[in-house]
Amino acid sequence: MKDSSSKTSTCPVFVGGTGRSGTTIAGELIGASPAYALVPIELRFHVDRGGLTDLAREVVDIEQFEATMRSQWYVRPPNKGGPRGAHVILGPPELDDALLRLRKSENADRWLAAGAFLTDVIEPFQRSRGAESWVEMTPPNGKNANMLARMIPEAKFIHMVRDGRDVASSVVRRSWGPNDMAGAILWWGNQMRAINKATSVIEPSRVLTMRLESLVGEQRESAYNQVQGLLGMDDDESMRQFFEINITGEMSHEGRWRGGLSDREQHEVENLYADQLKRLERTGTPMPSIL
């Protein structure tokens, strides 16, 4: 195997999806390459309401964005996974400098200014890792991909897709989504349509739609090669090792949605899911096949 760091594209990568769809797995796979620094937390300030996308669209002004950046996104309440917020990768002086540069560029192209701010936040962390580029894995990157592509025209995107029944089964256990399977499957379908709408306007060579199940299935080598192809790199020893050791069939929890459900309840879920798949097909968002 060859180390391809000299051939690796320097393009940043945004990984997105519906949530509970494998975004972390994809981000960690790319971040295993020394060419890419994996942002270890979901930054969120670039895609959340009132964030960079809203600043670029003039939904909020710079004062509103800065206030929310400092109060909400810089330090977020920790969860079971540890500390969250941009402070994990950026110190207060660097944040001050980035915000000052953003203010000075207010009369320039707002989209590129927003992208430059995002780059200013991530680049110190990237440099500390000795990496050529970075990968960020906030799930709503998917449904905001069209706007992120305007911010950073060279960026590439991975849309992670997972069986909607397994997504729904995971979502109902969280506090941030629907708490019943019917609502969660409907939510999944709506998210899939929004992501397709956003990614369909981007140059196809910059977008990879990947089934989580493909990375762990019989054709997982083909799925791995597709990720490498998007990045514009040959095989990378560190990335290959991570793939072979850490990305296993157990990670996808395929069919886990059936757990605890009676035969009747499973049948109801299957009908709800089939209806969503038909709706996706009708609206031009077909479910990608497993490789």
Side-chain angles (χ1 to χ4, degrees):
M1 286 181 289
K2 297 180 292 183
D3 189 313
S4 64
S5 59
S6 62
K7 297 183 179 181
T8 303
S9 167
T10 56
C11 299
V13 178
F14 291 101
V15 180
T18 63
R20 313 307 301 168
S21 60
T23 52
T24 299
I25 293 172
E28 289 178 344
L29 174 61
I30 296 170
S33 168
Y36 281 88
L38 170 64
V39 179
I41 42 91
E42 296 177 9
L43 289 177
R44 304 212 66 93
F45 69 82
H46 57 306
V47 290
D48 276 2
R49 181 175 298 178
L52 281 178
T53 53
D54 280 350
L55 178 66
R57 294 187 298 152
E58 301 186 58
V59 175
V60 298
D61 59 29
I62 185 63
E63 285 77 17
Q64 291 171 308
F65 172 76
E66 180 172 345
T68 313
M69 181 71 199
R70 294 185 183 279
S71 65
Q72 180 173 319
W73 295 307
Y74 187 62
V75 180
R76 300 176 63 207
N79 62 10
K80 294 180 180 179
R84 300 186 298 167
H87 78 282
V88 172
I89 64 169
L90 188 76
E94 289 79 14
L95 175 62
D96 292 341
D97 290 344
L99 286 168
L100 179 60
R101 285 191 291 273
L102 180 61
R103 281 185 171 275
K104 288 182 177 179
S105 64
E106 190 175 6
N107 296 323
D109 184 299
R110 296 176 70 93
W111 291 96
L112 295 181
F117 176 78
L118 179 57
T119 300
D120 282 345
V121 169
I122 300 176
E123 271 195 344
F125 173 77
Q126 173 195 323
R127 289 195 300 269
S128 74
R129 295 298 189 270
E132 299 174 24
S133 195
W134 47 264
V135 53
E136 202 279 337
M137 54 184 182
T138 301
N141 287 340
K143 63 182 180 182
N144 291 278
N146 55 329
M147 292 184 283
L148 295 174
R150 289 187 67 181
M151 287 185 195
I152 303 181
E154 71 274 20
K156 295 184 178 181
F157 300 85
I158 295 182
H159 171 206
M160 290 301 296
V161 179
R162 182 185 179 194
D163 187 304
R165 295 163 295 187
D166 287 323
V167 170
S169 178
S170 184
V171 166
V172 297
R173 296 176 172 87
R174 269 64 189 179
S175 60
W176 46 262
N179 58 11
D180 65 281
M181 284 293 286
I185 289 174
L186 176 60
W187 171 88
W188 172 83
N190 290 336
Q191 293 288 308
M192 288 285 289
R193 282 183 285 278
I195 295 169
N196 180 68
K197 182 178 179 180
T199 57
S200 63
V201 299
I202 302 173
E203 169 60 41
S205 64
R206 296 171 59 192
V207 181
L208 173 63
T209 299
M210 170 65 63
R211 284 289 295 264
L212 171 61
E213 296 88 349
S214 294
L215 281 172
V216 299
E218 293 182 357
Q219 301 298 318
R220 62 193 241 106
E221 185 69 22
S222 295
Y224 175 78
N225 289 338
Q226 286 187 4
V227 176
Q228 295 261 332
L230 177 76
L231 302 180
M233 61 194 298
D234 296 326
D235 209 355
D236 177 287
E237 185 175 355
S238 298
M239 191 169 160
R240 164 66 68 176
Q241 185 176 32
F242 181 91
F243 175 68
E244 293 182 348
I245 295 175
N246 296 287
I247 300 185
T248 63
E250 291 76 16
M251 294 186 74
S252 70
H253 302 294
E254 193 171 353
R256 194 178 191 180
W257 65 272
R258 296 182 183 276
L261 298 182
S262 66
D263 290 345
R264 179 183 59 80
E265 289 169 329
Q266 290 182 36
H267 184 66
E268 290 174 353
V269 168
E270 287 176 334
N271 285 339
L272 290 168
Y273 186 54
D275 288 343
Q276 279 303 308
L277 291 178
K278 290 177 182 177
R279 187 178 176 195
L280 289 176
E281 187 72 34
R282 288 197 305 269
T283 55
T285 311
M287 182 71 167
S289 301
I290 300 174
L291 296 179

